[in-house]
Each structure stands twice: as C-alpha cells, then as structure tokens.
Amino acid sequence: MPPLSNQRHEAFSRLIAKGEAASRAYSNAYGVSGRTAEVSAHRLMRNDAVLDRIAELQGAAAQRTVKTVESLVSDLDETIAFARECRNPAAMVAAINAQARLLGLVVERSEVSVLHRPAPLPTKILELTEAEWTAQFSASRPGPKPALAGVKRNEVETRKANGDAIAWDAETASIRRRGVFELD
C-alpha cells in the first residue's frame, strides 16, 4: 500500500505504528491538544485507510525485527567464515561459542559451589562446668586468647585470680553469678 495521500493521516499512522498514544499522535500531527485531540484521534482511528496503513507499517517493522535461531546461526556461520578468511582465531572461537550457546549445546553454570565449612554451633546453650570453663579460657591455655586488650585483659585476669565467675543454672534457665562480674 502506498503512503496515504493526506500527509497528516500518514504522519498520524507512522506515530501510531511507532507506539505513540493516539491523542498524542494526533496532537503532534495536527498541532492541537486537550479534548479536541482525544476526540479527533478516536474518530481517525475508525478510518479504514488509516487502520490499514498502521497495520502495514507495523507488519513491516515486525518483519525487520524478527530474528529466528536459523537466521542467527546463519549470521554466525558467515562471521566464522569471515574470521577464517582474516585468520582471526579469537573471533572464530567467540562466534562458535555464541553459536553453541544459541543452540543450547553449552549450559551456563550458575550453581554456587558448596564450600566445605564446619557445621554451625548448636543453637542450644552449652553448659560448661567451672573446670571446663577455666580450662577453655584460662591464661595458661596455649593457642589464641580471647580478644581482650590492655585494661580489660588485666580486669579479666584479676577476676579469674579472685575466683569471680558465672555459671548457667539449668533449673531456672538463668545465669547465676558468683562474685561481682560486670560486662561493659
């Protein structure tokens, strides 16, 4: 179908085919706005010649944008042949990889590998006897010490020497304090 003889109808049809709203397309083609553009655009959208022209323009646009797997594979075949002529192995490999992904021959791995980590500590409260507590956190224990520095470390060592400690009372589900023990 040739372009419409009315240039404003043609401009309106092209704007609609591009995805413009009817009232805005009419406003751009005719230079009016508001309610006049809305009513007139609605009226023009019922015109058979305008509707046929819009359908033709949209069909042509759809044909230009339709890509199939076959067309993409043939494009990649041409790219591979051109890269071979130019003696460019990197371009050939890239085109072959793209073709393989397109055809589903290469599966992208998105799984995150599982790191081997120790199991998390149990969520229940660990009950230690005073001897176990002292053995685990005493100053004479080899290996890394708790992260206390300066004055705090001296306070903790003084409290340990004085026998101040805390214990978990399972019957009342609370902490039992022996001596004075302050946490900052």
Side-chain angles (χ1 to χ4, degrees):
M1 175 177 193
L4 296 174
S5 58
N6 185 330
Q7 294 301 314
R8 289 182 178 176
H9 286 188
E10 179 69 19
F12 176 79
S13 299
R14 289 182 183 276
L15 289 170
I16 293 292
K18 287 182 182 177
E20 195 75 39
S23 61
R24 184 170 290 179
Y26 192 90
S27 175
N28 289 340
Y30 286 87
V32 296
S33 61
R35 181 82 175 135
T36 304
E38 292 176 15
V39 171
S40 299
H42 178 72
R43 183 179 40 81
L44 195 55
M45 286 297 290
R46 291 185 288 162
N47 185 323
D48 290 335
V50 172
L51 288 176
D52 290 343
R53 182 64 178 155
I54 292 170
E56 180 186 6
L57 291 170
Q58 288 176 338
Q63 281 184 337
R64 285 192 307 268
T65 58
V66 169
K67 281 286 190 179
T68 61
V69 173
E70 292 82 17
S71 68
L72 293 172
V73 168
S74 70
D75 290 345
L76 288 169
D77 285 336
E78 292 172 11
T79 304
I80 292 168
F82 181 71
R84 187 172 287 135
E85 287 174 17
C86 295
R87 297 177 189 240
N88 187 347
M92 283 178 28
V93 170
I96 291 170
N97 283 334
Q99 203 173 43
R101 277 193 306 272
L102 183 66
L103 295 172
L105 301 175
V106 174
V107 177
E108 297 291 332
R109 301 273 182 211
S110 62
E111 298 93 25
V112 178
S113 63
V114 177
L115 299 175
H116 298 287
R117 295 182 181 170
L121 292 174
T123 56
K124 69 175 190 168
I125 297 175
L126 297 175
E127 296 181 20
L128 299 176
T129 64
E130 189 173 346
E132 292 171 332
W133 183 270
T134 306
Q136 185 173 355
F137 296 107
S138 69
S140 62
R141 181 177 163 256
K145 304 274 189 272
L148 296 174
V151 177
K152 288 289 184 189
R153 183 178 301 250
N154 294 339
E155 288 178 21
V156 170
E157 290 172 2
T158 304
R159 287 186 180 145
K160 283 182 185 176
N162 292 340
D164 295 339
I166 61 170
W168 177 255
D169 188 0
E171 293 175 10
T172 61
S174 62
I175 295 177
R176 205 180 45 201
R177 294 185 183 172
R178 290 187 315 187
V180 178
F181 197 81
E182 297 174 7
L183 299 175
D184 292 329

